[in-house]
Amino acid sequence: MKVETPEDVLFPGLDLVVKRAVVADGGMMIDAAGCGSPGACPQCRHPAARVHSRYWRHIAGLPVGVHRLIVRLRVRRFFCNQNWCRRRTFVEQVEGLTEPRRRSSTAARSAMRAVAVELGGRPGQRLCARLGLYGRRTTILGQLTAPPVPARAPQILGIDEFAFGKGHTYGTVLVDVESSRPVDVLPDRETGTVAAWIQEHPGAEIICRDRLMAFTKAIRQAAPNALEVADRWHLLQNLSTAIEKTCRRHRDCLRRPTASESTTALVTPETALWTGSDDATRRSTSLPPPVCRSTPSAAVYGWTARRSGATGTRTLKGFSPRRKTTGTVSSTHSSSTSSTASRQAAPVQCSSIARCSSSATPADITS
């Protein structure tokens, strides 16, 4: 097809005359006017003959390249000459572009309707902004229309509840199980509402329902000859509930040990303990005595030991060259073991020497 005018590119097949096109701020505005026949009155369908007035309409269309499109359309308002018609004036409509009380073109509304079906409100609004379509969340959702409800119910009908507001308002959805398409939506889940719908739409032979008791009563009232079955999800839920109850009932059987485990005794190896009596006992143990790692040695800090009293009390005094703090560590032994006091391992606390909560022995410090 040979392109001769801008109307063939922008509005192919429409009765429009393009007067001017302006591109500014990322958008394109086109001034156009209708050039078709006046049309007929939408109420009495009588053709118009007289022009009442003219005015501008702004119609949002599909984007052109990277520019949003606004059509500023000059339309005519006509008189209706029929005296018995209640409508005195009407506005001409450009077929394929405008509809009464609409601010978007027919093609733009079709695109927004497809976005609303696939994405919904807010995600659809974000996508329309990226595509260059003028559409807010409420405008996009307003493009959705309820599909026609068939006169007869499908042969296999599915009934389930859903939440308009969880915990507050619930409704009922009716689905054609064979085609996996919704048939109708009911405003509540009451027995009377579901039974009335089934009576008005006969033809269901198998009804796959929810476990709600209201649905059971409705099916018994409206379709007593229909076969009631449970859907797959509820079957799996019933199975998991039965398994859980069985496992709880036989919990003792599951925890009962086997014969081989009951005859085998657990033997714990004995570990030699160091009592600190002599060197032989100390060497026999595999674990070294506890030593405070944060306590400095006597060679560095100059510890001195002295013995006082008949009970064998030994006092260790030392000086810290870094912190200039002194500490006293004492241990008490009997007189019979005073000869080996330097090697005994009575635990002492190193509270003032270093910031540590572990224990140390005088023998480790003086050795």
Side-chain angles (χ1 to χ4, degrees), residues 152-159 174-183 203-208 229 231-232:
R152 293 182 60 85
Q155 185 178 5
I156 304 178
L157 178 65
I159 302 178
L174 305 166
V175 182
D176 186 356
V177 178
E178 294 181 333
S179 61
S180 300
R181 291 183 175 273
V183 177
E205 299 179 1
I206 302 175
I207 298 179
C208 180
V229 297
D231 56 11
R232 186 183 305 172

Side-chain angles (χ1 to χ4, degrees), residues 218-290:
I219 295 172
R220 292 177 182 176
Q221 295 178 9
N225 298 327
L227 178 63
E228 300 182 33
V229 297
D231 56 11
R232 186 183 305 172
W233 188 87
H234 288 97
L235 289 177
L236 294 177
Q237 186 185 28
N238 295 341
L239 178 60
S240 62
T241 303
I243 293 176
E244 184 179 0
K245 290 182 180 179
T246 304
C247 293
R248 287 183 178 179
R249 190 180 302 113
H250 299 279
R251 180 180 300 178
D252 297 337
C253 300
L254 296 175
R255 292 182 176 180
R256 185 179 303 169
T258 60
S260 59
E261 294 178 354
S262 60
T263 55
T264 303
L266 296 178
V267 179
T268 304
E270 296 183 356
T271 304
L273 298 178
W274 172 49
T275 59
S277 60
D278 52 7
D279 295 340
T281 305
R282 181 175 179 179
R283 288 193 298 270
S284 63
T285 179
S286 59
L287 298 176

Side-chain angles (χ1 to χ4, degrees), residues 77-160:
R77 183 182 292 274
F78 294 95
F79 282 105
C80 182
N81 296 328
Q82 300 300 320
N83 296 329
W84 52 270
C85 183
R86 298 179 58 183
R87 193 181 189 94
R88 307 301 343 156
T89 61
F90 63 91
V91 180
E92 67 173 340
Q93 304 295 333
V94 179
E95 186 177 358
L97 180 65
T98 63
E99 289 183 1
R101 299 179 179 86
R102 299 287 186 179
R103 296 186 178 182
S104 299
S105 64
T106 305
R109 286 196 304 274
S110 300
M112 287 190 293
R113 186 179 301 109
V115 171
V117 170
E118 297 297 334
L119 298 179
R122 298 186 187 276
Q125 178 181 353
R126 293 192 292 267
L127 180 60
C128 288
R130 298 292 297 273
L131 296 178
L133 293 173
Y134 291 93
R136 295 187 177 182
R137 177 176 59 89
T138 55
T139 305
I140 294 173
L141 294 178
Q143 303 300 325
L144 297 175
T145 56
V149 180
R152 293 182 60 85
Q155 185 178 5
I156 304 178
L157 178 65
I159 302 178
D160 200 353

Side-chain angles (χ1 to χ4, degrees), residues 66-83:
V66 295
H67 302 288
R68 292 186 175 185
L69 178 62
I70 292 292
V71 180
R72 194 169 67 161
L73 183 63
R74 184 78 168 177
V75 296
R76 298 168 290 180
R77 183 182 292 274
F78 294 95
F79 282 105
C80 182
N81 296 328
Q82 300 300 320
N83 296 329

Side-chain angles (χ1 to χ4, degrees), residues 6 9-11 18 20-31 58-72 132 134:
V9 178
L10 300 175
F11 311 105
V18 176
R20 185 179 59 174
V22 179
V23 178
D25 298 333
M28 177 183 292
M29 178 174 289
I30 296 178
D31 293 344
H58 293 77
I59 307 297
L62 292 176
V64 179
V66 295
H67 302 288
R68 292 186 175 185
L69 178 62
I70 292 292
V71 180
R72 194 169 67 161
Y134 291 93

